[in-house]
Amino acid sequence: MFGLTLLQIYWRAIYRIQLAFNTRTAQYAATVGAGVGFVLFIALLYRVARPLKDRYDEDGVEILLALLGTIGAILVSVFVIAVWRQTNRLLQTFGEFGFSPERGILLLVSFVVLAVTYTLTRITKRFIKFGSGRVELTPHQRELVHHLVQIFLFLNAFAFIWFLWELSWGDILLGAGAIGIIVGFAARKTLSDVLAGFVLLFARPFEVGDWVSIGDREGIVTQITIYNTQIRTFNEEHVVVPNDSVTDSEVVNYSKTDRLRLITKVGIDYETDMATAMSVATDAMDGCETVAASPNPDVILDSFSDSAIVLRLRYWITRPTIQQKLSAQNEVIRAVKDAFDEEDIKIPYPQRELMGREDTDGLRVSTDGDLGRGADLEDKDVTQAVRQVSRADDERVEEAVERVSEADDATLVEEPVEERYGGDGGPDQDDEDDEDGENDDAEETKADGADTGAGDDATESDEPEDEDE
């Protein structure tokens, strides 16, 4: 019924426009006037945009301006179409796509309802923020109220659109099933973040302004939305953590209690009296202003380390904040160090104990003279070794040069790899070595024969001399 009423208003307006501009000149004038009016309207929107952004939320102003520009473009288009009597052609074109004027009106109304609903949520958020000054509401409670108002308004908007389109329960269930499958696969991460966001808003494990540790992140909570939680770390890093990750991680809220215990470890020498050191440390912590008087600070023995006995200093602070924690740690460390210095209690450096084996007669400490003599002996040994190596290399070079000069062919160079340099000539080199060995044996045999003949000649030549004598 409501859609029919809007359709009647639409056709009545079209009829009046056509009656008002029934000549060609009037049509041209109306078209030019509509174009100029639209340009002036857009210029006006841009002119008022800056003051509105300075006064209100920038995102909300951008959305409002875009919405107004879109509505203006639609109205100008409908006016020009009515002036030139092209309504029937437009309707035929929409009919080709299965789109009727009734559906267009319903879509327009649905869009306007959603836009108005979003605008109302932004306005109610402002009212909640301003009203929290009169009523004591924490930032967490303001955020929770805002999201509840959002849900209420959008549920009513969707219910209105449902009745506007006269949808049946079967269509709703069928559409919900199809949309549920699509959204379940495409936006399962977003949906899990939204559900986790509502869990955080209702369970309230932490609030805006709390000092928390989520996983490996530690800082102050700045904002909690239905999608993520924003943290400002102590290094001024703004971290956005998805709510699904928050619910899956271990959350430590240091601001949830009125006091927090801190632990600082310090080492003392093994020769120090432990009772005296513990008493001195306790008195030093008692004199610190940032340390809470109750519960009393205490000292317990922690462990044996490599160079010291470790004491664990335990003390408390009230109204835990990161500034309070750091101030207390600095004051305790400074006070305990000064107290140990006054009582001559040593905080040892890392130490190592050296022990010699019995079979090597233990450790021997050398004097400066022994070290000098040892250094001289080492230098002499090194020098002698270098000279021996240099002499051996010179002899090998000279021998190689002599072999080249004595060879018939000056291009033949002998490379004594195995015998002289300890290298491996490979399988081919082994065959060559065998052939060289056979040639050397033959030459040695000839040389021995020659030497034997020479010896016999020498013996024969000596015998006649003996006879003459």
Side-chain angles (χ1 to χ4, degrees):
M1 191 66 183
F2 178 75
L4 182 61
T5 303
L6 290 177
L7 188 60
Q8 291 176 354
I9 295 174
Y10 168 77
W11 283 113
R12 192 176 300 167
I14 294 295
Y15 180 71
R16 289 181 178 179
I17 292 174
Q18 292 178 352
L19 287 179
F21 305 95
N22 54 2
T23 63
R24 185 68 63 178
T25 303
Q27 290 175 347
Y28 279 115
T31 303
V32 173
V36 173
F38 181 72
V39 172
L40 294 176
F41 178 71
I42 297 297
L44 179 63
L45 291 180
Y46 277 101
R47 186 171 184 81
V48 300
R50 185 176 298 277
L52 290 176
K53 289 180 181 180
D54 295 338
R55 189 171 182 179
Y56 302 103
D57 183 67
E58 184 175 355
D59 295 334
V61 172
E62 289 287 346
I63 293 173
L64 179 61
L65 294 178
L67 180 62
L68 292 176
T70 303
I71 294 175
I74 293 174
L75 294 178
V76 170
S77 301
V78 171
F79 175 77
V80 172
I81 291 172
V83 167
W84 289 94
R85 292 172 173 80
Q86 299 296 321
T87 307
N88 294 329
R89 180 178 296 181
L90 180 64
L91 294 178
Q92 291 176 0
T93 305
F94 282 136
E96 296 294 333
F97 292 94
F99 187 82
S100 61
E102 293 81 3
R103 289 181 178 271
I105 295 296
L106 294 178
L107 284 175
L108 180 61
V109 173
S110 301
F111 177 76
V112 171
V113 168
L114 292 177
V116 170
T117 303
Y118 178 78
T119 305
L120 288 177
T121 58
R122 304 295 295 182
I123 294 174
T124 53
K125 185 177 182 179
R126 297 293 180 182
F127 276 116
I128 293 171
K129 184 177 180 180
F130 295 148
S132 61
R134 300 178 181 179
V135 181
E136 294 183 359
L137 292 178
T138 63
H140 182 90
Q141 292 172 341
R142 289 201 305 265
E143 196 72 22
L144 179 60
V145 173
H146 168 63
H147 290 305
L148 290 177
V149 171
Q150 270 187 328
I151 294 173
F152 175 76
L153 291 177
F154 275 105
L155 285 178
N156 283 277
F158 286 125
F160 176 81
I161 294 173
W162 178 24
F163 288 111
L164 178 65
W165 286 82
E166 299 179 353
L167 299 176
S168 63
W169 284 103
D171 296 336
I172 292 295
L173 295 177
L174 182 61
I179 294 175
I181 295 174
I182 297 173
V183 173
F185 282 101
R188 58 183 183 274
K189 181 64 177 175
T190 304
L191 291 177
S192 63
D193 290 337
V194 171
L195 294 177
F198 280 107
V199 170
L200 293 176
L201 290 174
F202 283 101
R204 299 179 59 185
F206 51 80
E207 298 180 0
V208 175
D210 284 354
W211 169 24
V212 299
S213 174
I214 302 176
D216 57 347
R217 297 290 185 176
E218 182 177 352
I220 306 299
V221 179
T222 57
Q223 189 176 3
I224 304 172
T225 67
I226 60 174
Y227 302 106
N228 52 59
T229 299
Q230 300 180 18
I231 300 175
R232 187 182 74 248
T233 66
F234 303 122
N235 295 328
E236 288 300 325
E237 299 172 341
H238 294 269
V239 183
V240 179
V241 185
N243 288 331
D244 190 24
S245 300
V246 175
T247 55
D248 290 340
S249 303
E250 179 181 353
V251 179
V252 180
N253 191 346
Y254 300 102
S255 302
K256 205 68 173 179
T257 59
D258 296 334
R259 61 187 181 185
L260 179 67
R261 187 175 70 180
L262 305 178
I263 295 177
T264 302
K265 295 182 179 181
V266 62
I268 60 174
D269 191 27
Y270 274 93
E271 298 179 356
T272 303
D273 183 66
M274 292 182 291
T276 302
M278 295 170 66
S279 177
V280 171
T282 303
D283 294 339
M285 289 188 293
D286 285 332
C288 297
E289 296 181 357
T290 55
V291 176
S294 178
N296 297 324
D298 58 354
V299 180
I300 61 174
L301 299 174
D302 185 77
S303 61
F304 293 99
S305 67
D306 295 337
S307 306
I309 296 177
V310 180
L311 304 181
R312 186 187 301 179
L313 313 180
R314 306 190 303 178
Y315 49 97
W316 297 79
I317 58 174
T318 56
R319 298 184 301 277
T321 61
I322 187 61
Q323 295 82 4
Q324 187 77 1
K325 174 186 176 182
L326 297 179
S327 299
Q329 286 181 345
N330 292 338
E331 188 176 5
V332 167
I333 292 174
R334 190 182 299 110
V336 171
K337 178 64 170 59
D338 295 340
F340 279 5
D341 290 341
E342 293 178 0
E343 298 296 332
D344 198 19
I345 298 175
K346 296 182 179 180
I347 301 176
Y349 294 102
Q351 301 175 10
R352 293 291 183 271
E353 183 177 354
L354 302 178
M355 299 181 64
R357 297 180 179 177
E358 296 181 357
D359 53 358
T360 58
D361 296 332
L363 298 176
R364 183 173 64 86
V365 180
S366 300
T367 61
D368 295 340
D370 295 337
L371 293 175
R373 287 193 296 272
D376 294 339
L377 292 176
E378 291 179 359
D379 293 340
K380 292 179 180 179
D381 294 339
V382 172
T383 304
Q384 185 176 1
V386 172
R387 289 177 179 175
Q388 291 177 356
V389 173
S390 300
R391 191 180 300 113
D393 291 340
D394 294 339
E395 292 176 356
R396 291 173 181 173
V397 172
E398 292 176 359
E399 184 179 357
V401 173
E402 291 176 357
R403 288 180 179 274
V404 172
S405 61
E406 292 176 358
D408 296 336
D409 188 357
T411 61
L412 297 177
V413 179
E414 183 182 0
E415 297 181 358
V417 177
E418 293 184 2
E419 297 179 358
R420 292 176 174 80
Y421 297 100
D424 186 7
D428 297 336
Q429 186 66 29
D430 294 339
D431 297 338
E432 295 177 1
D433 292 341
D434 294 340
E435 294 176 0
D436 294 340
E438 293 176 358
N439 294 332
D440 293 341
D441 293 341
E443 292 177 359
E444 290 178 359
T445 303
K446 293 179 180 179
D448 292 340
D451 293 340
T452 306
D456 294 341
D457 295 338
T459 305
E460 292 176 358
S461 62
D462 292 341
E463 289 177 356
E465 293 179 359
D466 292 340
E467 291 177 356
D468 294 339
E469 289 177 1

